[in-house]
Amino acid sequence: MFSNIKIGAKIVGGVIFIIVMSQAIGFYALSNLANLSNKLNQTSNVDLPAVNNLKSIDKEMNYIVACERGLALGIMFDNKIVRQNLFKSITDSWTRLERNWAEYEKLPKNDDEKKKWDGFVVNFTLWKTKHLAGMEALKNKQKLVEAGVSEQDANFQKWDKAADQAELDARDSFQATTGTMDGLVSAITTQAVSSTEKTRLSATHAVSVFMTLMVVGGAIAVLLGVFLSRSISR
């Protein structure tokens, strides 16, 4: 059957076959590269920044609580320089926290992550409300101290007790907040690790398939060349 086909047609057909085969191999390679690029983009531009932002938020929360507890100690509150530094540190920490919060909220989230984030926000809002109540009491104490009011004054004692009570009230909500934060970070980390492993396996599979296609394609090209050579020599 092939012997009845003209030489020119055989050559053209062979060239077209090789071109189509090369394009198929190239398309497969590009498709896998695009898939790998998307997975790496998710890990490097979404998952890792998300974990970094959340860990920073968690760090600032703990730092704020530590400073607030420092202010609750008379020996530190009575020292003007220490007191002012602690108040400033809390303000600066809130600025860093809010910056990381804003950056995290810009990132895309799947349904599970969004649900965990919403749960964290509920606990965080409750803790922040109680924290601000404690800060209000501490600032009122500061005003009284700077006005020269004695620590034995009834008004001073009222705000001193209010600050201590606010700290106690905030403790449970703070633990709940950090608990939901840990769950959120764990979920994103697990997702990133899983995605990275899938990317590695996909890359390994792609290399194997690509090499196989190259070998098979090369063999077919050689056989086709031999076939055309014999057809021309007849």
Side-chain angles (χ1 to χ4, degrees):
M1 181 176 69
F2 289 106
S3 61
N4 296 325
I5 302 175
K6 292 182 179 180
I7 297 300
K10 290 179 180 179
I11 294 174
V12 171
V15 171
I16 291 174
F17 177 78
I18 291 174
I19 291 174
V20 171
M21 184 176 63
S22 299
Q23 288 181 330
I25 294 173
F27 177 78
Y28 176 81
L30 287 175
S31 176
N32 274 275
L33 283 174
N35 185 42
L36 292 174
S37 177
N38 289 336
K39 289 180 179 178
L40 289 173
N41 179 68
Q42 171 68 28
T43 301
S44 61
N45 295 330
V46 179
D47 294 338
L48 293 180
V51 170
N52 183 58
N53 291 143
L54 293 172
K55 291 298 256 182
S56 295
I57 291 172
D58 185 65
K59 181 185 74 174
E60 299 303 340
M61 286 173 55
N62 280 281
Y63 185 70
I64 289 168
V65 169
C67 290
E68 184 181 2
R69 288 175 179 171
L71 287 169
L73 297 175
I75 191 173
M76 299 182 75
F77 190 87
D78 292 342
N79 186 306
K80 182 179 180 180
I81 295 176
V82 173
R83 183 174 68 244
Q84 290 176 341
N85 286 338
L86 287 173
F87 274 117
K88 184 179 183 303
S89 293
I90 290 175
T91 300
D92 293 344
S93 188
W94 272 112
T95 300
R96 293 190 296 269
L97 186 153
E98 289 166 358
R99 182 174 62 248
N100 280 282
W101 187 295
E103 290 175 359
Y104 174 74
E105 287 206 315
K106 293 177 184 177
L107 298 173
K109 304 170 184 62
N110 58 37
D111 291 340
D112 182 60
E113 183 181 348
K114 188 176 185 306
K115 182 178 179 180
K116 284 182 170 60
W117 172 248
D118 290 342
F120 166 79
V121 171
V122 170
N123 289 325
F124 177 87
T125 302
L126 178 60
W127 166 74
K128 184 178 180 181
T129 300
K130 295 180 178 181
H131 160 74
L132 292 177
M135 290 302 297
E136 181 184 8
L138 288 168
K139 288 177 180 178
N140 284 327
K141 277 180 61 178
Q142 181 186 33
K143 291 177 182 177
L144 293 174
V145 169
E146 291 175 350
V149 175
S150 170
E151 293 186 2
Q152 304 305 317
D153 181 81
N155 202 28
F156 182 92
Q157 289 294 319
K158 180 185 77 171
W159 289 116
D160 186 48
K161 291 178 181 178
D164 290 341
Q165 186 59 49
E167 182 186 351
L168 291 173
D169 292 341
R171 189 169 299 173
D172 290 340
S173 58
F174 179 75
Q175 290 176 348
T177 303
T178 55
T180 50
M181 170 63 80
D182 290 342
L184 178 57
V185 172
S186 177
I188 297 174
T189 302
T190 301
Q191 174 182 298
V193 170
S194 175
S195 178
T196 301
E197 179 61 17
K198 288 179 180 178
T199 301
R200 186 188 68 79
L201 293 175
S202 179
T204 301
H205 177 72
V207 169
S208 299
V209 173
F210 185 74
M211 293 301 296
T212 300
L213 288 174
M214 289 290 291
V215 171
V216 172
I220 292 176
V222 171
L223 291 174
L224 184 60
V226 172
F227 171 75
L228 290 175
S229 177
R230 289 183 176 179
S231 296
I232 293 172
S233 63
R234 289 176 183 176

